[in-house]
Amino acid sequence: SEVIRTKDISRTYQMGSETINALKSISIQINRGEYVAFMGPSGSGKSTLMNIIGCLDSPSGGAYFLNGQDVSNMSENELAEVRNKEIGFVFQTFNLLPRSSSIENVALPLVYAGYSKAEREEKALQALENVGLGNRYKHKPNELSGGQRQRVAIARALVNNPSIILADEPTGNLDTKTSYDIMDLFDQLHSMGNTIIMVTHEEDIAQYAHRIVRMRDGLIETDQANEHVKKAV
Ligand code: ADP
Ligand code: ADP
């Protein structure tokens, strides 16, 4: 079933008297359970598109349907509500709270969902176990390796059971071996039915995805099934 559908999305930025057409016309459909990588040179519009798909921003023109719901013209509050429910974010820089333990970091998105503290801790611990960090729940970010920090961030992305995991350069700050471990984890999450959308500069990382979209100058240049999906094991 369809999770994402955009129809002729555009996004312009105004820089003084200059108008920048960051996205010109993007039409794409992504179904539940897909694993898609977005590639493209710097400035091609990847971040702009991810911000729209992640409900952090709205298109200037065109329409965006998330789970069949038109989110293109929502207010910021409505968009925040959809975002908290539907999207799990993973960033290059992990974005963890430095003074909080793993379990506290992972439980954070549940605060807005109205669960009790005991429920939040139970769900957060389960999410940490799902990424192989059940025994690190008390650790703070500076007591963890880069790969472990990214796993905590992935657990935080998963804890709300979102419709989409949106990962922006998830291996950008990791060495090759650790990147490979994170791609292994993404494989597991994908085989469990999660929908994964990843932005990466790295061709070898993109090859773990089952579909590769290449952008250029605010347009989709190619959108193809990956015939040679790399396996992380
Ligand atoms: P990518 O993620 O592929 O590097 P971006 O989406 O960041 O591409 O950028 C696409 C284009 O939009 C670029 O020309 C960039 O300079 C411009 N752009 C992005 N964000 C802004 C902004 N907030 N204000 C003005 N221009 C922007
Ligand atoms: P070799 O090139 O000698 O086979 P590598 O260390 O390059 O050894 O690769 C070992 C494994 O890690 C391979 O399966 C490869 O696909 C994978 N790999 C290599 N680079 C990356 C990377 N940046 N991220 C994830 N996996 C990688």
Side-chain angles (χ1 to χ4, degrees):
S1 65
E2 175 186 285
V3 182
I4 286 171
R5 182 156 52 94
T6 76
K7 193 176 179 305
D8 295 332
I9 279 187
S10 61
R11 178 69 165 94
T12 55
Y13 296 109
Q14 206 60 43
M15 296 277 280
S17 61
E18 197 189 350
T19 303
I20 295 163
N21 295 303
L23 297 178
K24 290 169 183 164
S25 175
I26 303 285
S27 297
I28 190 168
Q29 188 192 324
I30 297 175
N31 290 330
R32 188 167 306 285
E34 282 202 80
Y35 182 1
V36 187
F38 281 81
M39 295 206 74
S42 182
S44 59
K46 304 182 298 295
S47 306
T48 301
L49 182 58
M50 288 311 117
N51 287 343
I52 292 172
I53 287 178
C55 297
L56 291 159
D57 186 22
S58 297
S60 310
Y64 172 29
F65 299 88
L66 177 57
N67 285 320
Q69 184 181 22
D70 188 350
V71 298
S72 345
N73 298 304
M74 280 188 168
S75 70
E76 283 197 16
N77 283 342
E78 290 172 316
L79 216 50
E81 199 171 307
V82 171
R83 184 167 70 233
N84 290 332
K85 196 161 145 265
E86 308 283 357
I87 318 281
F89 291 97
V90 176
F91 304 96
Q92 177 171 2
T93 51
F94 321 135
N95 290 16
L96 300 173
L97 298 177
R99 293 175 204 284
S100 301
S101 63
S102 301
I103 195 167
E104 287 164 347
N105 268 288
V106 173
L108 207 60
L110 298 172
V111 172
Y112 311 103
Y115 292 105
S116 70
K117 188 158 192 283
E119 286 171 322
R120 295 201 298 269
E121 287 184 346
E122 190 188 322
K123 283 175 188 289
L125 189 57
Q126 182 62 55
L128 281 167
E129 280 168 4
N130 290 347
V131 301
L133 282 183
N135 57 351
R136 295 282 191 279
Y137 72 97
K138 278 187 180 165
H139 290 59
K140 292 185 178 164
N142 68 3
E143 299 165 327
L144 299 169
S145 70
Q148 288 171 337
R149 288 179 203 180
Q150 192 58 300
R151 280 171 191 270
V152 172
I154 292 167
R156 180 186 57 193
L158 288 168
V159 76
N160 252 347
N161 201 14
S163 299
I164 313 165
I165 296 166
L166 210 54
D168 190 359
E169 300 281 357
T171 61
N173 270 319
L174 302 174
D175 61 44
T176 301
K177 166 69 173 70
T178 309
S179 298
Y180 175 74
D181 292 342
I182 294 296
M183 290 302 102
D184 187 18
L185 177 57
F186 275 19
D187 274 355
Q188 290 173 42
L189 298 176
H190 177 232
S191 61
M192 287 161 61
N194 288 289
T195 309
I196 302 176
I197 299 177
M198 164 169 88
V199 174
T200 181
H201 273 95
E202 297 177 71
E203 187 65 45
D204 60 335
I205 291 293
Q207 293 302 328
Y208 289 92
H210 291 231
R211 174 178 172 189
I212 303 178
V213 178
R214 292 175 199 272
M215 295 182 65
R216 183 175 293 276
D217 298 333
L219 292 167
I220 291 174
E221 189 175 49
T222 63
D223 178 355
Q224 288 171 323
N226 184 4
E227 304 289 346
H228 305 284
V229 174
K230 232 166 131 179
K231 275 287 152 206
V233 219

